[in-house]
């Protein structure tokens, strides 16, 4: 392939990518993580994880960035309670995925999972117990232990961020029972008959 045809091919790909971006934005699509994608249907929310939990910190930061929902410190003040049934920090896994010809570990599989549900102020279940499980493979080399430990920590961080995104998607999809919310629904508007023209 000549240099000019390579440039032409790259140019066509760039135009195609730009066109797809314009089409997606025109139809109302938002990139993952933009404020418009995960508006929560609650005025206040409680996250049932320790304050020091990296996942809790990530969720609270995300919810506060959206700005439409306040994260509160007690269940009694919350319209929605995210109740964690299994803490992902305690359920991280690392299993052997493959061995090399010498019988040494060549690859691990890292796992990160959470099981949670969402309740409203009255204790009604808004979201049934839901499990999100993530896995990532990681190669291993016993000559580069420190580098591999750093890579492993980065993969767990990546899974945690992915978990925050997936939890937010599920929270945004909840249809809450309005009487249980602290924000009163808007009263219906009664149509007014047009005034008769004056003679």
């Amino acid at each position: 392939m000549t240099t000019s045809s390579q440039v032409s091919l790259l140019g066509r790909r760039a135009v195609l990518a730009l066109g797809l971006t314009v089409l997606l934005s025109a139809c109302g699509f938002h990139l993952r993580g933009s404020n418009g994608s995960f508006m929560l249907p609650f005025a206040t929310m409680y996250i049932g994880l320790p304050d020091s939990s990296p996942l809790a910190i990530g969720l609270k930061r995300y919810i506060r960035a959206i700005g439409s929902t306040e994260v509160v410190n007690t269940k009694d003040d919350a319209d929605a309670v995210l109740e964690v049934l299994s803490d992902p920090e305690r359920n991280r896994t690392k299993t052997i995925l493959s061995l090399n010809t010498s019988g040494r570990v060549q690859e691990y599989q890292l796992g990160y999972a959470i099981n949670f549900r969402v309740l409203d102020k009255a204790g009604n279940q808004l979201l049934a117990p839901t499990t999100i499980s993530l896995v990532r493979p990681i190669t291993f080399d016993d000559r580069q232990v420190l580098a591999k430990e750093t890579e492993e920590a980065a993969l767990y961080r990546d899974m945690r961020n992915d978990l925050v995104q997936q939890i937010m998607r599920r929270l945004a999809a909840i249809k809450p029972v309005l009487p249980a919310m602290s924000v009163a629904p808007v009263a219906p508007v009664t149509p007014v008959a047009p005034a008769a023209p004056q003679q």
Side-chain angles (χ1 to χ4, degrees):
M1 187 181 284
T2 64
T3 305
S4 61
S5 61
Q6 286 177 334
V7 170
S8 175
L9 181 61
L10 287 172
R12 282 197 294 260
R13 287 181 179 168
V15 169
L16 180 61
L18 181 62
L20 285 172
T21 304
V22 170
L23 283 173
L24 287 172
S25 61
C27 73
F29 175 83
H30 295 283
L31 290 175
R32 185 175 77 170
S34 64
N35 283 350
S37 25
F38 300 132
M39 297 301 288
L40 302 184
F42 321 111
T44 56
M45 183 159 203
Y46 173 80
I47 307 294
L49 282 167
D51 290 339
S52 59
S53 161
L55 182 62
I57 292 167
L59 279 169
K60 289 175 182 179
R61 182 181 296 134
Y62 203 113
I63 293 168
R64 286 174 179 139
I66 292 171
S68 61
T69 300
E70 180 187 356
V71 178
V72 294
N73 296 323
T74 63
K75 293 181 181 181
D76 295 339
D77 297 330
D79 292 319
V81 174
L82 189 148
E83 187 177 79
V84 176
L85 306 174
S86 69
D87 187 343
E89 296 303 326
R90 295 180 182 169
N91 295 325
R92 296 197 317 183
T93 59
K94 182 178 180 181
T95 55
I96 296 171
L97 200 56
S98 63
L99 303 173
N100 62 19
T101 53
S102 306
R104 293 183 175 180
V105 175
Q106 181 176 334
E107 197 175 18
Y108 284 105
Q109 179 169 279
L110 308 179
Y112 197 75
I114 187 172
N115 185 17
F116 69 98
R117 65 179 180 167
V118 180
L119 307 174
D120 70 9
K121 183 172 286 203
N124 300 312
Q125 193 165 263
L126 298 175
L127 179 66
T130 302
T131 300
I132 303 173
S133 300
L134 303 172
V135 293
R136 298 282 191 278
I138 181 173
T139 58
F140 182 74
D141 186 343
D142 55 12
R143 295 166 299 179
Q144 299 177 339
V145 174
L146 188 59
K148 287 300 172 182
E149 285 178 355
T150 303
E151 184 183 352
E152 181 179 317
L155 283 172
Y156 277 122
R157 266 196 314 275
D158 177 62
M159 284 192 280
R160 189 182 304 123
N161 292 336
D162 195 357
L163 208 57
V164 168
Q165 296 282 337
Q166 293 199 39
I167 291 171
M168 291 298 296
R169 272 198 286 274
R170 283 161 175 78
L171 294 176
I174 291 173
K175 301 291 186 266
V177 181
L178 286 176
M181 294 180 66
S182 62
V183 178
V186 177
V189 177
T190 306
V192 178
Q198 294 183 352
Q199 303 265 332

